[in-house]
Amino acid sequence: MKRRQVLIGAASVLGAAACGAPSGTERLRYWNLFGGGDGVRMVELIDAFAASRPDLDFQASTLTWGPPYYTKLSMASAGGRAPDVAILHLARLPSFAPGRLLDPFPRQLLTELGITPENFLPEIWDRCVVDGEVYAIPLDTHPFVMYYNTDLCRQLGLTDANGTLVPLRGADDLVAAWSEAKKLTGGYGLVLDNFGVSPWRLWWTLYRQLDGDLLNADATALVIDDAKALQALDFMRRLSVTDAVAPGQMLLSGAVALFGSGKAAFLFNGEWEVTTFQTQKTPFSMTPFPEVFPGTASAAGIARTQADCHTFVLPHQRDRTVAGTRPALDYVRFMLERSVDWAAGGHVPAWLPATRSPDYLALDPQSRYRDAAATAQLDPPAWFSGSASNMENLAGTAFGAVQAGTLTPEAGLARFKADMQRLIDTPAPV
């Protein structure tokens, strides 16, 4: 998710709310890490909230995505002087030691505002609860998906009468489709990012389709299944080396440019490039990540795919009170109610009433991959996992080398396992 690096450098205060003079005694401070296309959309929502609450002294700040954001948030929480509410990737929750760096949401306020478990997918909600306390409220799920060029796929005979991609599943059928697409484009059949954390996202998608586990329950031991791990890596190598339907060394920006210009018919990435391709007027649509290994999809036919979720959390404050937390909960409720506006940027709403609304179902292609949220595979819980974590970056290096052909799958797996063992042996910082 290097896209976030286009972000505003250090902390910057956003929106009219930050500039206007406070007119009330209640205050609300909000930190987030949205700086790409979704950052613009977040500012619009922040401004709408500010306009709806002129009584509130409200400031929203955007910080640099990734480690800089999480370092600053953890330090502020450790000092007990954190913002009132903040964004946190759900897979990063264990690294914030709920109860130490995060405060629980007051149950009575959640109930009063209707922020209750039945309004979220149970698989997602359950990861927000630690020792019976709610420490995170999901805003969205952002899964790894497949984009496809509708014009090129129509020429390839891969679309139905409505222009929708016909079902493609199984490694051989998928590679055959991408091979024909490569002949048509003269470039690549499929493009994807081979650097950063993207190789992790692809490997974790494939490995979880095979039902592989990585860590034991308390993240103190590696329980990786070598055979399944190699099966996933063999497929990744096949794409860029054996069958060469995809590049082996390409940055995300290059992959996005090639797909956007019609030099590739398919793209693997997160769903946040919707606005990019809509702005470019690329003829495209999207679908959940394909079932590479037949027989591994859900009963609804949706294959497992890597994902994470943006959530709202209450960073630790020494003097936090239930009454003082009410503005933060009002803000969370406001944002959940505006989930369809947020979803226009690509993210799947976590608020289930939004996913059933006609306005969301009319969003095309955003609503086409909504079922991927139910098969989302978050990183395994550990202090060193989650979006932009050391684990994802180390995996990206090892598995990216397999895609580039500079390491065999066996050597790439050995490097990853050695890196994982070092992380496991390192004491948690909090």
Side-chain angles (χ1 to χ4, degrees):
M1 298 202 288
K2 291 291 187 183
R3 70 198 174 97
R4 311 290 189 183
Q5 291 179 350
V6 295
L7 227 252
I8 308 166
S12 70
V13 181
L14 297 175
C19 302
S23 58
T25 56
E26 287 188 309
R27 54 164 277 170
L28 176 61
R29 300 291 182 265
Y30 164 55
W31 285 8
N32 70 83
L33 40 56
F34 300 113
D38 49 10
V40 175
R41 208 168 300 277
M42 176 57 68
V43 171
E44 294 172 352
L45 292 169
I46 287 170
D47 287 346
F49 176 74
S52 73
R53 291 294 303 270
D55 59 304
L56 199 61
D57 173 12
F58 176 44
Q59 288 187 0
S61 301
T62 297
L63 284 71
T64 303
W65 189 91
Y69 175 80
Y70 284 119
T71 298
K72 190 173 180 66
L73 184 61
S74 62
M75 291 179 67
S77 300
R81 294 186 172 184
D84 301 291
V85 62
I87 290 291
L88 185 87
H89 285 96
L90 182 54
R92 297 287 300 237
L93 192 64
S95 69
F96 272 73
R100 296 180 64 186
L101 298 185
L102 298 178
D103 294 330
F105 281 89
R107 287 277 190 178
Q108 62 270 40
L109 290 184
L110 292 177
T111 301
E112 181 181 339
L113 293 170
I115 304 175
T116 46
E118 66 272 15
N119 289 310
F120 302 89
L121 288 171
E123 300 88 347
I124 302 300
W125 180 265
D126 289 348
R127 286 196 56 154
C128 299
V129 179
V130 179
D131 296 332
E133 299 282 1
V134 178
Y135 282 96
I137 303 297
L139 173 63
D140 63 47
T141 302
H142 38 283
F144 208 41
V145 297
M146 185 166 74
Y147 298 71
Y148 60 95
N149 184 301
T150 50
D151 282 355
L152 294 174
C153 287
R154 176 178 50 77
Q155 294 178 54
L156 291 164
L158 294 177
T159 56
D160 62 18
N162 297 317
T164 301
L165 188 71
V166 298
L168 294 173
R169 61 174 58 90
D172 290 342
D173 286 352
L174 285 161
V175 170
W178 295 327
S179 180
E180 291 302 311
K182 179 180 178 180
K183 296 175 186 174
L184 178 63
T185 64
Y188 295 103
L190 167 74
V191 285
L192 63 164
D193 176 23
N194 307 116
F195 295 92
V197 302
S198 291
W200 158 260
R201 304 190 81 211
L202 178 56
W203 180 80
W204 186 240
T205 294
L206 299 168
Y207 184 62
R208 288 300 298 149
Q209 285 195 9
L210 294 167
D211 203 28
D213 290 321
L214 187 61
L215 299 168
N216 65 351
D218 56 3
T220 57
L222 196 60
V223 296
I224 194 167
D225 184 317
D226 284 3
K228 293 177 180 178
L230 288 173
Q231 190 175 350
L233 286 173
D234 283 340
F235 180 75
M236 292 170 67
R237 180 181 171 85
R238 180 177 178 183
L239 296 179
S240 54
V241 178
T242 310
D243 290 276
V245 295
Q249 297 188 68
M250 179 165 286
L251 293 168
L252 176 59
S253 57
V256 170
L258 286 175
F259 180 79
S261 62
K263 297 296 185 184
F266 295 88
L267 166 69
F268 285 163
N269 196 20
E271 26 66 348
W272 46 78
E273 298 292 351
V274 169
T275 304
T276 301
F277 298 130
Q278 288 177 331
T279 302
Q280 294 179 356
K281 300 188 184 306
T282 302
F284 81 103
S285 190
M286 300 160 71
T287 186
F289 195 91
E291 182 185 11
V292 175
F293 305 112
T296 59
S298 68
I302 307 299
R304 289 178 173 179
T305 188
Q306 194 273 349
D308 208 338
C309 305
H310 294 123
T311 68
F312 295 103
V313 295
L314 301 178
H316 176 60
Q317 294 180 337
R318 283 195 297 265
D319 54 354
R320 185 184 290 280
T321 64
V322 172
T325 303
R326 177 59 190 251
L329 268 293
D330 288 343
Y331 177 71
V332 171
R333 174 69 198 202
F334 177 92
M335 295 297 289
L336 294 175
E337 290 176 346
R338 300 302 192 280
S339 287
V340 176
D341 295 330
W342 182 240
H347 303 319
V348 181
W351 184 243
L352 292 180
T355 65
R356 303 175 187 125
S357 71
D359 287 345
Y360 176 69
L361 296 176
L363 285 178
D364 188 12
Q366 292 91 332
S367 64
R368 289 179 178 266
Y369 50 83
R370 64 187 185 279
D371 291 338
T375 60
Q377 301 297 300
L378 276 63
D379 290 6
W383 72 262
F384 47 77
S385 70
S387 291
S389 64
N390 286 341
M391 184 192 75
E392 289 194 351
N393 283 307
L394 291 168
T397 300
F399 299 155
V402 174
Q403 291 178 297
T406 57
L407 285 181
T408 64
E410 290 78 8
L413 179 59
R415 176 183 291 187
F416 173 64
K417 290 171 66 174
D419 288 337
M420 284 295 297
Q421 193 58 54
R422 279 192 287 274
L423 291 174
I424 291 170
D425 293 341
T426 303
V430 292

